[in-house]
């Protein structure tokens, strides 16, 4: 089923005309309402009248993750904060988190994008959907929630965690759709088996899984162990949370709702566009947002783009499954973690030395684990076990309070962690993604 035939199957020339119209209106809107963009456009040495078609987008300035930090908390809003309807927050690279402000219209738009995504994944009107993404400042839970309301599915607003309870309610209520991270889906499947449920007791037939990188190999495992068709959903808080792009049942790339989220793929070194099909950094412009519209937002996610027709009938272009990131952010169990945050937390504990390594692994069950190995002072190392354990707990607490993800801490002697002569490799990601 296609949720919005008009926009999802528009012929490419009409789509381009619509994007052009929307870009012109957006450029005028931000010039009028955002002091940051007004300054950048003025300094860019061009006039707004030069923005006539979507191809003129290259004249507009980029927006970066650093801008998010520098203009924290509300500097990038294009309306006064008391006109904003809702805010979401995700982790930033250093210090300040990333804030996204949504107007009432932006929330409607988000619902529309997520509703298109639910239909695209294989949802049917009247379906029961179990939403097991976190509700709150993270966009996963509420985004799918708004989408399901608009789409017309009955909602189980589970949020994340409480695995046994999730499985019990699945087995009692029989939802056909499951929305959560791929690693959590796999974990719930395992738990269901441990609780004695047989494959035929698992009611989920459609998975709307995303928020973290995952491979086709993992998808095959999820399909098999849960008896569902697991589809990939992409999004990021800055743009609108889940529902920026979504795989259809053909699972040959994710349809990006480009009448509202205009994608470009650029070479992150030269900032020049790459050809269709080539991998580069995904850059997105929110064509119709009003609360916090963004021009050419550098997502730091690596993907390719194709406009080739898809067997599902949608004309919306497709991005590939994500290939990685241009920075060192890691996504663990759907939460963004930056090495710099861990470093900050470690250095709050006086016994630690500034030499550490982060090891990310994926257990056989599909759950991601994070281990932080850290050197501690010689004299602490020779102390009693009890003292060592107390230091370890102190470090663990400091990190967990900062990144909000559980970690294992391993204390090591000074000079154990490999030194580097160039850029330090802080993260060892063993997940093979
Ligand atoms: O993760 C929004 C979301 C919620 C997407 C639920 C899908 C489902 P943030 O917390 O801001 O927002 O993290 C955004 O997570 O830039 C990617 O690096 C990564 N990411 C999101 N979806 C995918 C995916 C939400 N399908 C960052 N595959 C993004 C790989 C993903 N990485």
């Amino acid at each position: 089923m296609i949720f919005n035939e008009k926009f999802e199957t528009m012929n490419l020339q009409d789509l381009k005309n619509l994007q052009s119209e929307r870009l012109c209106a957006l450029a005028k809107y931000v010039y009028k309402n955002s002091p940051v963009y007004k300054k950048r456009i003025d300094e860019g040495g061009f006039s707004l009248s030069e923005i006539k078609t979507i191809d003129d987008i290259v004249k507009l300035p980029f927006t970066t993750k650093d801008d998010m930090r520098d203009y924290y908390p509300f500097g990038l809003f294009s309306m006064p904060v008391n006109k904003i309807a809702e805010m979401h927050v995700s982790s930033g690279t250093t210090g300040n988190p990333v804030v996204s402000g949504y107007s009432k219209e932006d929330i409607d738009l988000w619902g529309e994008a997520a509703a298109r995504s639910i239909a695209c994944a294989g949802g049917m009107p009247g379906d029961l959907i179990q939403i097991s993404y976190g509700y709150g400042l993270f966009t996963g839970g509420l985004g799918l929630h708004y989408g399901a309301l608009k789409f017309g599915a009955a909602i189980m607003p589970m949020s994340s965690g409480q695995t046994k309870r999730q499985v019990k309610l699945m087995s009692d209520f029989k939802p056909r759709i499951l929305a959560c991270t791929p690693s959590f889906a796999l974990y719930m499947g395992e738990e269901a088996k441990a609780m004695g449920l047989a494959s035929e007791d698992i009611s989920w037939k459609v998975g709307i899984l995303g928020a973290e990188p995952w491979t086709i190999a993992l998808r095959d495992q999820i399909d098999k162990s849960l008896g569902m068709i697991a589809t990939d959903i992409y999004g990021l808080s800055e743009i609108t949370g889940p529902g920026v792009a979504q795989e259809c049942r053909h699972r040959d790339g994710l349809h990006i709702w480009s009448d509202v989220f205009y994608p470009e793929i650029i070479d992150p070194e030269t900032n020049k566009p790459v050809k269709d099909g080539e991998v580069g950094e995904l850059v997105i412009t929110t064509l119709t947002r009003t609360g916090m519209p963004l021009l050419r937002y550098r997502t730091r996610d690596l993907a390719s783009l194709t406009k080739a027709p898809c067997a599902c009938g949608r004309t919306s272009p497709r991005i590939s499954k994500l290939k990685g990131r241009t920075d060192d952010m890691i996504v663990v169990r759907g939460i963004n973690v930056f090495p710099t945050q861990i470093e900050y937390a470690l250095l709050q504990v006086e016994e630690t030395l500034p030499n550490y390594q982060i090891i990310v692994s994926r257990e056989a069950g599909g759950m991601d684990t994070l281990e932080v190995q850290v050197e501690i002072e010689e004299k602490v190392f020779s102390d009693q076990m009890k003292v060592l354990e107390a230091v370890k707990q102190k470090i663990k607490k400091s990190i967990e309070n900062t990144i909000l993800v559980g970690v294992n801490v391993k204390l090591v002697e000074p000079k154990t962690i490999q030194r580097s002569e160039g850029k330090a490799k802080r993260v060892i990601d063993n997940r093979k993604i």
Side-chain angles (χ1 to χ4, degrees), residues 133 138-140 211-213 232-237 242 301 322 325 336:
Y133 287 112
F138 175 58
T139 52
E212 65 188 7
D232 197 353
I233 185 167
Y234 169 75
L236 62 165
S237 318
D301 288 319
L322 295 203
R325 291 191 48 90
N336 305 344

Side-chain angles (χ1 to χ4, degrees), residues 207-228:
I208 304 182
L209 314 182
E212 65 188 7
W214 56 310
T215 54
I216 291 181
L218 185 71
R219 178 175 93 191
D220 292 344
Q221 268 188 41
I222 295 177
D223 281 358
K224 209 157 118 219
S225 68
L226 295 172
M228 63 161 60

